[in-house]
């Protein structure tokens, strides 16, 4: 069992941090298995804190189930001191982070040349899948025991965002297995990338219905659902519907997953793996196509050159540039932001040829983070350059929130950009060349699922 110390915030919703003993359904099943081992009953102790599947199936246990789901999602999303998280690995494969260590499994990710037996990928995939399954299980428990509770919408949102992350970051063919009330695994079948985003839309639609019916207590979860749905629809190539989905979300809205210094599991992995382990550095023009994150000195991409023990990475060679967006173990991580709603509206306007509303959307997002407005005179003349501007604004506004890899893939899939003009390419600084990968590879471990063989394809 772990002591979970997390809070989730959004406009109109600020939950106090509290110390809670939690366990997921899978963990409860593991405890039962341990209890089945009879060693002569040398000790017979009744543990009042022991959670069993049956004990989680009461209305009084819903807070425990919810806290466990939030904790699992946090580890999958922003990681921990022991788990890298989706933000880190998607940033490493894209152009946000560059490797500063020696581990070959992580170099495969940064170099875009992954193998299916990559143990780092296996752990990363398990973490986000565990977060998705835990949230889905929690939503089911609320549906049975307290269906009108706004927290049911929150759990559906987390399951939806986990699906979005799997669709954006991993290759086509991700299976969605579930956890039964007894803790058993119900194996899922591979789904295409489009099917994954469609599943996410369904989760967000359900969340929005429940959150709206809940009234004031559901406002933050309704806004989160709108942003999540807009993000999923954008990935499906339906920008107009995505813009309609996010209409009315306040630009100042923010729903964050909080971390804590309480335990290693609760630490922000985005902080820990840079500051404590020195594994990667903030990129700058990586592989020719990468954005100038450092050179631009844009305040939305805060960083500092490391000194002393943080001057170079784990490899004792690579200069360490430390991100300042998450400066300590307890740094919260945005999951759903109002600025993303404005960026979605801007993209829909650009696709419709409406450059006036395109600038309005970009400038609304820029204003929310203290950036000066872009003038109409500064708008690039060509459609291609305007698209470059949009995706650069998205990259800076949404930096290190696991959006960039999905955006690079969309530039290929939806806008026809060749992969070698989008992803880092050419000579790799640790030797050899960048490979062709444009997504994370589902690891060999998933073949324990009898329904799964390998990725359906490695396309964007």
């Amino acid at each position: 069992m772990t002591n979970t110390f997390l809070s989730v915030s959004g406009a109109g919703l600020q939950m106090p941090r509290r110390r809670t003993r939690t366990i997921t359904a899978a963990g409860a099943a593991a405890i039962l298995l341990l209890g089945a081992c009879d060693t002569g009953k040398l000790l017979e102790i009744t543990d009042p804190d022991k959670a069993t599947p049956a004990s989680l199936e009461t209305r009084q246990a819903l807070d425990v189930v919810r806290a466990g789901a939030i904790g699992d999602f946090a580890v999958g999303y922003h990681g921990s001191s022991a788990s890298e998280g989706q933000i880190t690995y998607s940033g490493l494969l894209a152009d946000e982070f560059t490797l500063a260590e020696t581990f070959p499994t992580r170099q495969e990710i940064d170099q875009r040349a992954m193998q299916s037996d990559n143990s780092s990928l296996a752990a990363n995939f398990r973490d986000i899948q565990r977060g998705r399954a835990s949230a889905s299980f929690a939503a089911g428990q609320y549906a049975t025991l307290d269906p009108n509770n706004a927290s049911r919408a929150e759990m559906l949102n987390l399951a939806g965002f986990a699906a979005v992350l799997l669709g954006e970051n991993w290759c086509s063919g991700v299976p969605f297995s579930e956890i039964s009330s007894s803790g058993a695994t119900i194996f899922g079948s591979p789904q295409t990338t489009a099917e994954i985003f469609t599943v996410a839309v369904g989760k967000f639609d359900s969340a929005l219905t429940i959150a709206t019916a809940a009234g004031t207590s559901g406002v933050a979860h309704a806004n989160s659902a709108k942003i999540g749905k807009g993000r999923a629809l954008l990935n499906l190539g339906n920008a107009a519907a995505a813009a309609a989905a996010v209409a009315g979300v306040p630009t100042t809205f923010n729903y964050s997953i909080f971390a804590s210094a309480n335990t290693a599991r609760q630490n922000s992995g985005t902080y820990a793996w840079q500051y404590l382990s020195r594994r990667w550095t903030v990129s700058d023009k990586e592989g020719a196509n990468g954005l100038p994150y450092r050179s631009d000195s844009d305040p939305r991409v805060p960083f500092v050159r490391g000194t002393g023990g943080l001057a170079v990475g784990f490899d004792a060679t690579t200069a360490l540039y430390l991100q300042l967006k998450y400066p300590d173990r307890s740094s919260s991580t945005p999951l759903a932001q109002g600025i993303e709603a404005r960026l979605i509206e801007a993209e829909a306007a650009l696709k419709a040829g409406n450059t006036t509303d395109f600038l309005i959307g970009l400038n609304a997002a820029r204003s929310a983070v203290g950036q000066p407005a872009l003038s109409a005179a500064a708008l690039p003349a060509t459609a291609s350059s305007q698209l470059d501007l949009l995706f650069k604004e998205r990259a800076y506004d949404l930096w290190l929130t696991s959006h960039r890899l999905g955006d690079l893939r969309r530039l290929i899939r939806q806008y026809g950009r060749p992969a070698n003009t989008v992803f880092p390419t050419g000579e790799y600084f640790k030797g050899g060349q960048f490979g062709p990968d444009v997504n994370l590879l589902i690891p060999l471990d998933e073949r324990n699922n009898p329904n799964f063989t390998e990725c359906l394809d490695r396309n964007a």
Side-chain angles (χ1 to χ4, degrees):
M1 290 185 288
T2 60
N3 292 320
T4 300
F5 193 152
L6 296 165
S7 71
V8 182
S9 72
L13 175 67
Q14 178 65 54
M15 299 187 62
R17 296 185 179 191
R18 61 185 180 182
R19 190 180 183 94
T20 309
R21 182 170 292 272
T22 70
I23 188 167
T24 63
I31 289 174
L32 289 180
L33 290 174
L34 290 173
C37 180
D38 187 347
T39 58
K41 296 186 178 179
L42 295 176
L43 292 173
E44 291 189 4
I45 299 172
T46 300
D47 182 357
D49 285 336
K50 185 170 75 173
T52 64
S55 73
L56 297 178
E57 293 182 356
T58 66
R59 188 167 180 170
Q60 292 71 28
L62 286 175
D63 280 348
V64 175
V65 174
R66 172 181 173 271
I70 293 172
D72 284 343
F73 181 88
V75 171
Y77 180 45
H78 63 53
S80 69
S81 286
S83 305
E84 295 89 326
Q86 293 294 289
I87 289 173
T88 290
Y89 275 4
S90 64
L92 201 61
L93 178 57
D95 62 350
E96 295 176 313
F97 279 140
T98 298
L99 197 72
E101 62 147 325
T102 57
F103 279 50
T105 53
R106 299 192 188 107
Q107 181 170 324
E108 288 180 8
I109 299 169
D110 189 42
Q111 196 171 353
R112 301 177 55 210
M114 286 161 266
Q115 303 296 315
S116 62
D117 61 352
N118 186 308
S119 59
S120 296
L121 284 175
N124 195 249
F125 188 70
R126 282 196 297 270
D127 285 340
I128 189 60
Q129 283 280 31
R130 184 181 294 113
R132 180 198 55 77
S134 291
S136 181
F137 173 81
Q141 293 296 92
Y142 274 101
T144 300
L145 301 169
D146 194 3
N148 299 320
N149 193 316
S151 292
R152 179 184 171 198
E154 181 184 30
M155 296 298 98
L156 285 166
N157 279 336
L158 291 186
F161 277 111
V164 167
L165 292 169
L166 285 160
E168 287 179 347
N169 296 338
W170 298 83
C171 64
S172 179
V174 174
F176 282 7
S177 299
E178 304 294 347
I179 303 169
S180 73
S181 59
S182 67
T185 300
I186 304 170
F187 289 109
S189 297
Q191 301 185 64
T192 67
T193 299
E195 287 171 339
I196 291 170
F197 292 130
T198 301
V199 167
V201 169
K203 297 285 187 184
F204 293 126
D205 276 337
S206 296
L208 183 57
T209 298
I210 296 160
T212 301
T216 303
S217 64
V219 170
H221 303 317
N223 283 329
S224 294
K226 291 176 182 178
I227 294 169
K229 181 178 179 179
R231 182 173 173 179
L233 288 169
L234 201 63
N235 277 296
L236 285 168
N238 196 339
V246 301
V249 175
T251 306
T252 56
F253 174 77
N254 179 43
Y255 178 101
S256 287
I257 300 295
F258 277 70
S260 166
N262 191 41
T263 70
R265 171 178 160 85
Q266 296 149 13
N267 291 173
S268 163
T270 319
Y271 162 83
W273 286 86
Q274 258 220 315
Y275 285 77
L276 305 182
S277 301
R278 300 179 294 122
R279 303 293 178 168
W280 16 86
T281 186
V282 174
S283 297
D284 194 64
K285 304 177 184 177
E286 184 184 22
N289 295 319
L291 288 176
Y293 292 104
R294 303 198 312 262
S295 299
D296 267 1
S297 299
D298 191 295
R300 292 171 291 181
V301 184
F303 71 92
V304 66
R305 175 70 166 88
T307 60
L310 293 174
V312 294
F314 183 85
D315 61 8
T317 301
T318 305
L320 201 59
Y321 291 89
L322 302 164
Q323 57 78 26
L324 294 174
K325 188 168 186 172
Y326 309 108
D328 55 49
R329 289 177 173 87
S330 58
S331 297
S332 62
T333 309
L335 179 65
Q337 302 176 82
I339 58 172
E340 184 173 0
R342 304 293 83 82
L343 291 167
I344 289 171
E345 291 167 346
E347 185 164 349
L350 184 62
K351 290 192 78 169
N354 184 342
T355 56
T356 299
D357 285 348
F358 170 58
L359 273 179
I360 288 173
L362 290 188
N363 285 331
R366 289 175 65 87
S367 176
V369 293
Q371 287 296 94
L374 299 170
S375 67
L379 184 68
T382 68
S384 178
S385 296
Q386 291 166 5
L387 188 66
D388 289 341
L389 173 62
L390 168 67
F391 276 78
K392 186 174 184 179
E393 288 292 297
R394 284 183 58 86
Y396 287 4
D397 281 331
L398 303 174
W399 187 55
L400 297 182
T401 57
S402 196
H403 281 78
R404 182 61 173 166
L405 177 56
D407 277 357
L408 295 186
R409 294 178 68 186
R410 288 200 304 115
L411 279 169
I412 299 169
R413 188 172 69 244
Q414 297 176 5
Y415 293 99
R417 297 279 179 94
N420 63 1
T421 67
V422 171
F423 278 85
T425 190
E427 184 177 349
Y428 184 66
F429 80 111
K430 285 183 175 288
Q433 301 285 312
F434 279 98
D437 292 347
V438 296
N439 45 49
L440 299 174
L441 177 62
I442 299 174
L444 194 64
D445 283 8
E446 186 60 29
R447 293 183 188 177
N448 291 319
N449 178 348
N451 300 322
F452 178 83
T453 302
E454 59 185 7
C455 295
L456 297 178
D457 63 62
R458 299 299 310 281
N459 300 331

